[in-house]
């Protein structure tokens, strides 16, 4: 009897559909057209399957069951797009709604799947903050039910912090609290989450976290047991480690991503994620550095000395493991490439495996079974 056809993973790749005006940008042959769909082959390579045309789907959120995805469309008139993903990895656009802000750059779903929380970064003053969108039973997004503006900036870095800039939204492991990283005001805004309320977020300033002036918190993750949190601070080029108790974060330590070069050009932290087993943390440093940085997580939540690996491209913005946990894929925005690394779950070592795909200005990648 013939073997059944092997079901392979699908990768969705988010992009910017306008070419950035930055000195290190390698201009692609043509701008991106939207969200790219790729087959993940058994050898870890990626094969392009098509594109869902839309403007700047820069961040992708996967529903817990993998049936739906949500992209932040990082434009001045910010929107969010809801997508259905079928068993074969085919993508259908469900609807698109306003993000009620400018340049939405990140989002997360509540653990119960009832709401999507969108971080509007906003380059200009006045469009930043967190917007709450209800998620319907069919996966579509409803109209905004709550909006919290981030207006104040710390002013420490003149061209980056004249106003608030919401860069990410992250739930605590128990789902009771949401933290929104405000790069513009050097702050984590804390909110209690009330699933049964029409406006589910309640500001909880006693749990807010203040960073040193000019640090610029960007992304964060919580350990599975909820006892520790890890935050990339973009402009100080560090990972800050916190102890967590009842939603209160107490700083434990801070680790530099590049201890050899202290210049501002070598300080540009990006994403952060755990390895599939939670034993390692992976982050990246951009600017003139462009390295992946891997830390072993110690029993007390502290981080080991970093191991650094050249990202294989410029501006490694986001990265993700495939379903096997054996491969890490990195979106290098300015060199229009997705690089792949083989991951050793015992040592945390990364071995470069070359360019997995060429995509114009890739900003995020997520995997769907």
């Amino acid at each position: 009897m013939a073997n059944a056809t092997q079901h392979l993973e699908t990768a969705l790749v988010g992009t910017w559909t306008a070419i950035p005006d930055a000195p290190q940008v390698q201009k692609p042959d043509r701008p991106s057209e939207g969200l790219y769909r790729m087959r993940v082959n058994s050898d870890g390579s990626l094969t392009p399957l098509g594109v869902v045309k839309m403007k700047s789907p820069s961040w992708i959120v996967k529903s817990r069951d993998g049936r739906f995805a949500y992209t932040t469309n990082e434009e001045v008139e910010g929107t969010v797009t809801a997508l259905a993903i079928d068993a074969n990895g085919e993508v259908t656009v469900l609807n698109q709604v306003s993000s009620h802000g400018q340049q939405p750059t990140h989002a997360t779903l509540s653990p119960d799947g009832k709401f999507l929380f969108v971080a509007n970064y906003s380059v200009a003053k006045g469009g930043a903050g967190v917007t709450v969108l209800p998620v319907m039973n069919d996966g579509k997004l409803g109209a905004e039910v709550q909006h919290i503006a981030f207006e104040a900036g710390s002013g420490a870095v003149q061209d980056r912090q004249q106003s608030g800039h919401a860069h990410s939204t992250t739930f605590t492991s128990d789902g009771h609290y949401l933290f929104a990283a405000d790069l513009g005001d050097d702050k984590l805004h804390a909110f209690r989450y009330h699933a049964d309320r029409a406006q589910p977020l309640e500001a909880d300033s006693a749990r807010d976290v203040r960073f040193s002036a000019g640090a610029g918190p960007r992304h964060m993750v919580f350990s599975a047991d909820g006892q520790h949190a890890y935050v990339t601070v973009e402009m100080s080029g560090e990972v800050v480690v916190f102890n967590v108790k009842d939603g209160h974060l107490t700083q434990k330590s801070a680790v530099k991503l590049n201890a050899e070069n202290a210049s501002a050009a070598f300080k540009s932290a990006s994403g952060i994620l755990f390895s599939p087993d939670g034993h390692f943390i992976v982050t990246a440093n951009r600017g003139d550095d462009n390295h992946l940085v891997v830390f072993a997580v110690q029993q007390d939540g502290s981080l080991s000395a970093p191991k650094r690996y050249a990202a294989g491209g410029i501006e490694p913005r986001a990265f993700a493991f495939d379903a096997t946990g054996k491969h890490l894929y990195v979106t290098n925005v300015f060199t229009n490439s997705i690089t792949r690394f083989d991951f050793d779950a015992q040592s945390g070592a990364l071995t470069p495996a070359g360019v997995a795909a060429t995509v114009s200005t890739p900003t995020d990648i997520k995997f769907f079974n």
Side-chain angles (χ1 to χ4, degrees), residues 292 310-313 316 328-332 335 337-341 353-357:
L292 303 175
L328 180 76
Y329 294 80
V330 182
T331 59
N332 300 292
T335 41
S337 64
I338 299 171
T339 47
R340 178 169 66 88
F341 293 80
V355 174

Side-chain angles (χ1 to χ4, degrees), residues 43 57 65 72 108 129 172 194 220 245 272 283 289 313 317 344 349:
D43 64 356
D65 61 10
T72 57
T108 193
T172 53
H194 301 280
M220 70 184 302
K245 186 175 182 180
I272 186 169
T283 183
D289 193 9
R317 187 174 192 261
D344 186 327

Side-chain angles (χ1 to χ4, degrees), residues 204-227:
D204 190 345
S205 59
R207 288 177 169 81
D208 288 352
V209 178
R210 174 65 67 181
F211 291 78
S212 59
R218 181 182 173 95
H219 283 193
M220 70 184 302
V221 290
F222 286 87
S223 59
D225 63 10
Q227 295 182 16

